[in-house]
Amino acid sequence: MNVLKLNLSLAIVVLIMSCNKKSETSTIALHKTNKKNKVEEMAISKKEEIINVALVYLKDGQEEKFEEYKRRGAAILEQYGGKIERIIKPKMLVKGDVELPDEIHFASYPSIEVFNKFNQDEEFMKVRKEFAMPSIKDISIFTSKNTDFKFKKETGDKTKTYGIALVYFKEGEKYRKQFGEYHDEACKIIPEFGTHFERFIAPFESKGRVEKPDEIHRFYFDSPEGMKQMGTDQRMQALFPKRDASLSNLIFFIGEAIL
């Protein structure tokens, strides 16, 4: 009888342990599945994301009106799940031949469908008509998607010095490949000087006087000193001819973040 009770108790313990193990295994499996699904969702989200870049030229004395447009427009955009992610005030045109914009805006949208709905929103169209149109002298807009370039995305702040490059490749796949090789080699060097990447995007639509680039890069430097040191580094100097030989044009702004 005691042996029977002992065997029965052991059987129950084994059963409980098996259930607990199964439950634990199921929890781990579920966690892994959820994690995998989350990663897949993020990948899909990143692929569908739209980034709108605007080079903005303001009329004299209309800065306050344009600030009101930014406040109201951003509030409406947030209702659609989008946001104004970065605004740069250019201080210097390092390379290229364009007029220095007053501001460069980067706005992100979850998808092209959301982008289109936002731009057709009646309230936003009223805000744009009342505040944007009277305050903007000129504007060039590039509607873009993320590129396939894999990089460690980092987020700067208003204390950083920013670089924005509008990249135009020469015609032919070999030049894109050549620029890619330059970029891979440069990316091994520039982190030494406190350089961080925020965006690599490829415009597919544009409007305005500035020609649509093939790619737009946004990055920041921890300090102006680091930026200067990077530009004069012998290894980078040796790579620049390879970069320039692959491009038909390069517009490069240096500025500060106001958002």
Side-chain angles (χ1 to χ4, degrees), residues 149-155 195-200:
F149 180 64
K150 292 179 174 58
F151 66 100
K152 180 183 177 183
K153 183 177 179 180
E154 299 181 85
T155 304
T195 304
H196 309 268
F197 302 115
E198 280 195 337
R199 278 288 184 193
F200 286 90

Side-chain angles (χ1 to χ4, degrees), residues 54-60 62-63 66 90 93 97-105 132-142 166 208-210 251 253:
L55 309 186
V56 182
Y57 300 84
L58 297 176
K59 294 177 182 177
D60 291 338
Q62 296 298 317
E63 291 80 8
F66 187 65
L93 179 65
D97 184 21
V98 296
E99 182 185 353
L100 196 68
D102 292 289
E103 296 182 6
I104 302 177
H105 290 214
M133 292 175 67
S135 59
I136 294 175
K137 178 176 65 176
D138 195 14
I139 189 169
S140 289
I141 300 174
F142 311 112
L166 277 56
R209 290 190 297 171
V210 180
I251 299 172
F253 302 104

Side-chain angles (χ1 to χ4, degrees), residues 11-257:
I12 292 172
V13 170
V14 170
L15 180 60
I16 291 173
M17 288 177 67
S18 298
C19 289
N20 287 343
K21 188 174 181 181
K22 184 178 180 181
S23 176
E24 184 181 349
T25 303
S26 298
T27 302
I28 293 171
L30 182 61
H31 176 72
K32 287 182 177 178
T33 301
N34 289 340
K35 188 175 181 181
K36 181 181 177 183
N37 289 342
K38 188 175 181 181
V39 170
E40 289 175 349
E41 286 173 6
M42 286 174 67
I44 292 170
S45 177
K46 185 183 177 188
K47 187 175 180 180
E48 293 182 349
E49 184 183 33
I50 297 297
I51 303 93
N52 218 34
V53 183
L55 309 186
V56 182
Y57 300 84
L58 297 176
K59 294 177 182 177
D60 291 338
Q62 296 298 317
E63 291 80 8
E64 286 189 17
K65 188 178 286 287
F66 187 65
E67 287 297 319
E68 186 64 22
Y69 163 70
K70 289 194 290 187
R71 284 192 291 270
R72 297 192 184 202
I76 299 170
L77 178 57
E78 287 177 2
Q79 296 173 15
Y80 285 85
K83 66 176 182 177
I84 307 297
E85 67 171 29
R86 182 69 68 206
I87 299 177
I88 304 296
K89 189 169 185 63
K91 295 295 184 180
M92 182 190 311
L93 179 65
V94 179
K95 202 169 182 65
D97 184 21
V98 296
E99 182 185 353
L100 196 68
D102 292 289
E103 296 182 6
I104 302 177
H105 290 214
F106 290 79
S108 63
Y109 309 78
S111 67
I112 189 66
E113 291 78 16
V114 172
F115 171 76
N116 290 331
K117 285 180 181 178
F118 169 73
N119 281 288
Q120 294 166 4
D121 183 278
E122 290 186 7
E123 185 181 355
F124 174 66
M125 287 193 289
K126 288 178 183 178
V127 168
R128 184 169 56 190
K129 183 177 180 180
E130 184 177 355
F131 296 99
M133 292 175 67
S135 59
I136 294 175
K137 178 176 65 176
D138 195 14
I139 189 169
S140 289
I141 300 174
F142 311 112
T143 306
S144 314
K145 290 184 177 180
N146 289 300
T147 70
D148 294 330
F149 180 64
K150 292 179 174 58
F151 66 100
K152 180 183 177 183
K153 183 177 179 180
E154 299 181 85
T155 304
D157 56 43
K158 290 196 244 184
T159 67
K160 309 300 182 184
T161 299
Y162 277 81
I164 297 173
L166 277 56
V167 180
Y168 300 81
F169 298 119
K170 286 182 179 176
E171 191 172 349
E173 187 58 34
K174 70 175 184 178
Y175 294 111
R176 286 178 178 268
K177 184 179 178 181
Q178 182 175 316
F179 183 82
E181 291 170 354
Y182 149 77
H183 209 264
D184 288 342
E185 293 176 51
C187 285
K188 297 174 185 176
I189 301 169
I190 56 182
E192 296 177 22
F193 301 95
T195 304
H196 309 268
F197 302 115
E198 280 195 337
R199 278 288 184 193
F200 286 90
I201 55 179
F204 60 89
E205 287 181 358
S206 70
K207 71 174 184 177
R209 290 190 297 171
V210 180
E211 182 186 357
K212 178 173 71 70
D214 293 292
E215 292 184 2
I216 299 175
H217 304 169
R218 189 178 84 228
F219 46 94
Y220 65 91
F221 307 93
D222 286 335
S223 68
E225 292 75 23
M227 177 186 68
K228 292 175 184 176
Q229 289 170 4
M230 184 194 76
T232 57
D233 181 80
Q234 290 184 353
R235 296 166 297 171
M236 291 300 296
Q237 288 287 331
L239 287 174
F240 288 150
K242 188 173 188 177
R243 176 199 68 185
D244 296 341
S246 65
L247 301 180
S248 62
N249 193 15
L250 174 63
I251 299 172
F252 184 23
F253 302 104
I254 292 291
E256 61 184 28

